[in-house]
Amino acid sequence: MQSFTYERAASAEQAAAAVAARPDAKFISGGTNLLDLMKLDIERPAHLVDISRLPLDRIEETAEGGLRVGAQVRNSDLAADPRVRSRYPMLTQALLAGASGQIRNKASTSGNLLQRTRCPYFYDRNMPCNKREQGSGCAALQGFNRMHAVLGASEACIAVHPSDMAVAMSGLDARIETISPGGAARTIPIGDFHRLPEATPHIETVLGHGEMIATVTLPPPPPGRQVYRKVRDRASYAFALVSVAAIVEKSGDRIRSARIAMGGVAAKPWRATEAERMLAGAAASDGAFTDAAEAALAGAVGHGANDFKIPLAKRTMRHTLAAAVESA
């Protein structure tokens, strides 16, 4: 490992200023991803600013009827909170589908959003990777790409974002609130938070250097039934091949509204807006679900070993929508 210095922040403003003051500084919270990357010599921060003890570990009601989740709320605590379980059940389902109980006890809300891809070429320093070294190439394009993106990818990168929690939060239209080094705050809709790779896959979010996530706000629970479905190679402790978060509101035998977000298919949680539009007012039928799934994957492109993800994503979406309708 490379040598590094360490400091424990006393406030969010101090933490942001400390990271902003050095281009080689990073925040550290639970460390469930960063420490692995440091051990593998992929991340090389020379200075770590510990934010794990900041008073950002509470889940609070908002005036509009939602919840404000502190950046340091642990994944296990968020999943177990009675308000989350009753009002945002697909968020609990997504959190419990991720990692192991031990990791969820350590992983934070902000760290989950900011975790980096698990693409094997990103982790292998002997292979080219534009995320790790800009301009070196993408070994996954012609390599083993079974876990890789079929939507929103580019010639520079086909890696996927690994978070389950972020997919559910995308479907819930969460808002991410940050603090900048000068103390200024801003609110970022989760759909605008993660970036697609395009020509700069090493830039993964819209955060500036030193800008720190303070809270994540969940709007009031949307009407309808919520379901999160994750398809993976084994029953636990595995990243999604495909996941779908769906919220379906019914009126009689027709769908009044739908929200659909997908994971495991892109470099960010993928909101299926065209499928949502098609389902609004449609009959709650297998035919409507099939049409919506086809629309959601209309622009999908496989790269060989991951071609199977396209029909898998369509089937997963159909089954998830059907499950949401049946429980409504």
Side-chain angles (χ1 to χ4, degrees):
M1 288 184 66
Q2 303 290 325
S3 297
F4 61 88
T5 54
Y6 168 93
E7 71 174 285
R8 185 177 297 170
S11 68
E13 292 79 8
Q14 178 190 331
V19 170
R22 297 184 55 164
D24 55 3
K26 282 188 173 292
F27 299 110
I28 185 168
S29 180
T32 56
N33 188 202
L34 177 60
L35 292 180
D36 286 342
L37 294 172
M38 291 173 66
K39 291 174 185 177
L40 294 169
D41 199 30
I42 295 166
E43 293 273 14
R44 303 185 190 91
H47 186 63
L48 292 179
V49 179
D50 188 347
I51 59 174
S52 64
R53 293 169 176 82
L54 295 181
L56 297 172
D57 58 352
R58 292 186 290 273
I59 304 171
E60 301 170 323
E61 300 277 351
T62 65
E64 62 181 355
L67 291 177
R68 181 170 290 109
V69 181
Q72 296 307 308
V73 172
R74 302 302 170 187
N75 285 178
S76 54
D77 293 333
L78 183 59
D81 188 279
R83 296 165 294 183
V84 176
R85 294 178 64 183
S86 63
R87 289 148 60 177
Y88 308 97
M90 77 179 185
L91 178 54
T92 289
Q93 294 164 17
L95 286 161
L96 295 178
S100 65
Q102 294 91 334
I103 290 177
R104 291 195 297 269
N105 286 340
K106 192 68 176 173
S108 66
T109 298
S110 59
N112 191 305
L113 291 169
L114 293 170
Q115 63 182 302
R116 306 200 69 186
T117 185
R118 285 352 188 250
C119 172
Y121 299 107
F122 174 68
Y123 280 77
D124 185 349
R125 289 186 51 78
N126 294 311
M127 302 300 292
C129 173
N130 288 318
K131 271 189 182 295
R132 192 182 63 247
E133 184 179 349
Q134 187 182 13
S136 63
C138 175
L141 280 168
Q142 303 300 324
F144 182 69
N145 50 42
R146 182 172 178 271
M147 298 293 292
H148 288 68
V150 295
L151 290 167
S154 72
E155 288 300 309
C157 182
I158 59 171
V160 299
H161 194 271
S163 174
D164 290 288
M165 182 195 79
V167 177
M169 286 189 168
S170 176
L172 293 166
D173 288 333
R175 302 188 302 271
I176 298 167
E177 296 158 10
T178 70
I179 296 177
S180 294
R186 69 165 169 157
T187 299
I188 307 166
I190 192 167
D192 298 334
F193 182 74
H194 297 99
R195 291 169 48 117
L196 291 176
E198 299 179 339
T200 55
H202 62 294
I203 304 174
E204 298 175 352
T205 73
V206 298
L207 293 178
H209 183 63
E211 188 174 9
M212 191 187 88
I213 297 174
T215 60
V216 177
T217 298
L218 299 172
R225 294 290 184 175
Q226 304 177 24
V227 177
Y228 183 78
R229 185 183 293 262
K230 179 178 182 178
V231 180
R232 47 190 163 175
D233 285 326
R234 55 182 184 270
S236 65
Y237 202 52
F239 293 102
L241 293 168
V242 169
S243 64
V244 176
I247 307 172
V248 179
E249 180 191 11
K250 276 180 64 180
S251 177
D253 61 353
R254 305 195 77 82
I255 297 170
R256 178 174 292 175
S257 66
R259 299 190 195 181
I260 307 166
M262 292 188 288
V265 296
K268 60 185 289 185
W270 190 267
R271 193 70 180 264
T273 53
E274 179 60 20
E276 294 173 357
R277 185 194 64 77
M278 292 177 61
L279 287 170
S285 65
D286 289 339
F289 303 152
T290 297
D291 290 344
E294 291 291 337
L297 277 298
V301 177
H303 297 87
N306 70 343
D307 291 351
F308 76 98
K309 275 195 176 189
I310 299 172
L312 177 63
K314 294 176 184 179
R315 293 196 302 272
T316 304
M317 183 177 294
R318 291 200 307 267
H319 289 307
T320 307
L321 290 168
V325 166
E326 288 169 5
S327 62

